[in-house]
Amino acid sequence: MFPCSWAYWRVVKMIEKTDVAIVGGGINGCALAYELSLRGINAAVIERNYLASGATGRCGAGIRQQWSTKENAALAIESVRIFEHLEDELGSDIGLKQGGYLIAIHDEKDMGQAEKNVSMQRSLGLDVGILGPDEMVEIVPILDVEGMGAIGATFCPTDGNADPFKTTYAYANAAVRNGAKIYKFTEVKDILVENGKVKGIKTDKGKIKADVVVNAAGAWSKKIAEMAGIELPNVPYKKEIMVTERVEYVFDPMVISFKDGIYFSQQEEGQILGGIPPPETVTGYETSPTLPFLEHMSGTITRYAPVLKHVNVLRQWTGFYDVTPDALPILGEVEGLEGFIQCNGFSGHGFMLSPMVTKLLAELIAGEKPSLPIDRLNLKRFESMEFDEKEKYVVG
Amino acid sequence: MKEVRIICRCEDVTEDEVVEAIRNGCTTLDELKHVLRLGMGPCQGRTCMPLAARILARETGKKISEVEIQTSRPPVVPVQLGILAGGEDD
């Protein structure tokens, strides 16, 4: 069924002035417009293509709270709390399923890191534990633990997935109901700057004045920042993903491995969705799907779950990770350019972190005290290249 | 009883649903695909996309040649994971 009504933003006349101009109509741009609208702040979202046409609509849809850095774990735990009541809050379906994440442990070294992470995550209140091979197969009956080369796994039952399209539209609709404007098929051409302050944006359909401009353009954030004379360290990485035909529903969690880089899950309708780093690393804006990825993915997923060799692949596509040197997002105002806010560099995790990240940025823009400290995620951490700790838990 | 016309056989999408989505703001085949799962099944849009393009043209007053075609994705026809993995026993 059709997820929700979004007639509100079908035809919108270009406005001349708003409080906050948001560049990028992915999950973060739309969710931020909604969070700002709750605080009585007007926002305009400018999207070059259609909503969720970039990384949001191409992602693996996973929602994970099991991280190696405290920053990501805290953002993800708070995000899940928001996801859990988001359908009621926004008034439409987001396709949330909490089937857990099962993370393979391959050797004693992995086990050491897993124990350390589980203890940190538990200190933040997360329900997470370590499973033996038998328990892994109880939860995901199609797994071949020996084939995986695993000795155990960590498991968090409240991790899961949601539908990125439905979630984006749900946020967009709620924002528009509260007065936000959304312009799709509209391209930002320049960012207007005067005396160290942003003054608005120039698009291919006209100028919009705004004292705050948010860069939520995903893999294109680096190019948007350049328009304001700001250099971001972000690099776009091409990532590949595939989906199979629908088969009988047999397992709930997302299965992932940091050693093999694989992730796969079964969606509500029965299809199996998953990715793995392509054999050749490609940076830049090239988008063609490759056969070497599909062969590598097929080889690895059938080693993890041999019965899947009989299942047909229907489709493969690509998307971008907007990767920072420490794999953590860049959030907050740029020092020296008043009103220019970064909301990018999610390094493959923008969808799952978006509810809390956008709430924090809305608090910051509204002049409230952010409910979690985000100073450490400011762009300035890269000036000395002495950032604290890199997020190690990245897949795909 | 009202006639129900199926546009996408793989994902069970009706003409009414396509029209509703267009009236609610979808202006491209890619958006219809994402909100309705139109064309995401085993035939990968071979049957439904030409039909959906005609409905989109009709509802938006465009010429059929002005409707942007949806992005097509490999492998075009369904292929078993086991064959792609190079399994000997298949």
Side-chain angles (χ1 to χ4, degrees):
Chain A
M1 276 306 289
F2 193 70
C4 52
S5 166
W6 25 303
Y8 301 100
W9 45 277
R10 184 163 60 167
V11 182
V12 194
K13 193 167 164 280
M14 206 70 182
I15 48 163
E16 287 175 8
K17 193 175 182 307
T18 186
D19 297 328
V20 180
I22 300 171
V23 186
I27 184 67
N28 279 288
C30 295
L32 181 57
Y34 168 74
E35 286 291 341
L36 289 167
S37 75
L38 293 182
R39 292 160 177 84
I41 298 171
N42 291 320
V45 177
I46 314 298
E47 166 55 47
R48 183 175 59 172
N49 207 323
Y50 51 86
L51 294 189
S53 55
T56 300
R58 294 156 183 276
C59 79
I63 299 172
R64 159 157 69 98
Q65 302 161 93
Q66 301 178 68
W67 294 94
S68 72
T69 57
K70 230 175 173 165
E71 279 81 9
N72 266 347
L75 286 173
I77 289 168
E78 292 302 324
S79 289
V80 165
R81 288 195 181 132
I82 299 173
F83 272 122
E84 283 172 344
H85 63 78
L86 204 51
E87 293 191 346
D88 288 340
E89 185 176 339
L90 302 178
S92 40
D93 179 27
I94 64 160
L96 177 68
K97 183 188 93 179
Q98 288 176 288
Y101 256 64
L102 186 140
I103 305 178
I105 298 169
H106 294 280
D107 52 32
E108 288 309 320
K109 187 169 160 273
D110 264 12
M111 185 63 92
Q113 179 75 36
E115 280 166 356
K116 201 175 132 209
N117 292 332
V118 164
S119 128
M120 179 273 286
Q121 293 153 3
R122 279 189 175 160
S123 77
L124 298 173
L126 192 66
D127 175 13
V128 56
I130 295 178
L131 307 180
D134 293 345
E135 292 163 300
M136 289 166 69
V137 177
E138 249 171 61
I139 295 175
V140 185
I142 60 172
L143 284 185
D144 175 355
V145 177
E146 209 171 296
M148 290 169 73
I151 57 169
T154 64
F155 184 70
C156 167
T158 56
D159 286 345
N161 59 270
D163 184 316
F165 295 114
K166 288 181 182 172
T167 311
T168 306
Y169 295 138
Y171 267 124
N173 278 329
V176 171
R177 279 200 299 271
N178 292 350
K181 306 280 185 218
I182 293 180
Y183 301 97
K184 58 176 186 171
F185 298 108
T186 305
E187 189 169 354
V188 172
K189 294 290 190 186
D190 204 3
I191 295 181
L192 310 172
V193 178
E194 272 174 40
N195 305 323
K197 291 179 184 176
V198 294
K199 288 293 169 193
I201 52 169
K202 192 178 140 192
T203 77
D204 57 357
K205 295 188 182 143
K207 278 184 191 171
I208 301 178
K209 287 185 200 157
D211 287 337
V212 177
V213 174
V214 179
N215 181 5
W220 292 271
S221 294
K222 191 181 173 69
K223 290 190 178 292
I224 296 294
E226 277 168 12
M227 293 177 184
I230 300 296
E231 195 188 336
L232 298 183
N234 310 19
V235 178
Y237 278 74
K238 180 173 98 173
K239 295 289 173 174
E240 302 200 43
I241 185 166
M242 58 119 232
V243 69
T244 72
E245 63 190 328
R246 295 181 181 202
V247 289
E248 192 183 325
Y249 190 82
V250 286
F251 68 102
D252 287 323
M254 177 84 86
V255 176
I256 71 176
S257 157
F258 299 113
K259 182 183 167 208
D260 292 315
I262 192 172
Y263 65 90
F264 62 95
S265 67
Q266 189 169 24
Q267 306 292 298
E268 293 283 81
E269 295 91 355
Q271 68 275 35
I272 290 159
L273 178 76
I276 198 164
E280 189 195 349
T281 302
V282 179
T283 58
Y285 294 102
E286 198 267 315
T287 60
S288 38
T290 67
L291 185 58
F293 156 75
L294 199 52
E295 288 172 338
H296 182 42
M297 180 68 198
S298 303
T300 311
I301 199 171
T302 54
R303 176 159 66 75
Y304 274 56
V307 71
L308 294 181
K309 69 185 175 194
H310 304 293
V311 175
N312 283 303
V313 178
L314 291 189
R315 191 163 64 247
Q316 62 174 131
W317 64 96
T318 65
F320 297 114
Y321 281 11
D322 178 32
V323 179
T324 64
D326 59 4
L328 291 168
I330 300 177
L331 303 176
E333 191 170 41
V334 175
E335 257 183 25
L337 185 50
E338 199 181 317
F340 193 41
I341 310 271
Q342 302 308 307
C343 177
N344 52 59
F346 288 97
S347 307
H349 315 118
F351 176 64
M352 61 180 86
L353 301 179
S354 61
M356 191 56 186
V357 160
T358 55
K359 185 181 166 193
L360 292 169
L361 289 178
E363 289 169 345
L364 185 83
I365 292 167
E368 298 165 17
K369 187 181 182 298
S371 35
L372 279 180
I374 53 168
D375 290 351
R376 259 215 50 208
L377 296 172
N378 195 283
L379 175 63
K380 65 177 179 245
R381 72 182 186 273
F382 299 113
E383 275 166 21
S384 58
M385 297 306 279
E386 280 176 17
F387 34 90
D388 295 0
E389 194 188 354
K390 185 177 159 68
E391 175 56 64
K392 298 179 190 77
Y393 270 24
V394 181
V395 286
Chain B
M1 208 173 91
K2 196 179 174 311
E3 184 186 345
V4 172
R5 214 174 297 172
I6 301 286
I7 298 298
C8 172
R9 297 184 296 201
C10 304
E11 297 283 341
D12 242 358
V13 181
T14 68
E15 181 177 14
D16 284 350
E17 287 173 309
V18 175
V19 170
E20 190 198 357
I22 295 166
R23 292 189 180 159
N24 279 311
C26 283
T27 49
T28 59
L29 289 175
D30 277 334
E31 285 166 292
L32 288 173
K33 176 175 165 182
H34 297 151
V35 299
L36 298 170
R37 297 193 55 79
L38 180 91
M40 285 192 176
C43 94
Q44 287 294 290
R46 266 185 204 76
T47 313
C48 61
M49 281 301 172
L51 297 172
R54 284 169 64 177
I55 298 169
L56 194 57
R58 186 185 77 205
E59 292 293 318
T60 57
K62 285 183 184 171
K63 286 185 197 150
I64 189 96
S65 57
E66 291 167 348
V67 174
E68 210 170 297
I69 57 164
Q70 91 281 11
T71 317
S72 62
R73 309 284 193 198
V76 184
V77 292
V79 185
Q80 282 185 6
L81 286 165
I83 290 171
L84 288 159
E88 305 79 14
D89 43 351
D90 277 301

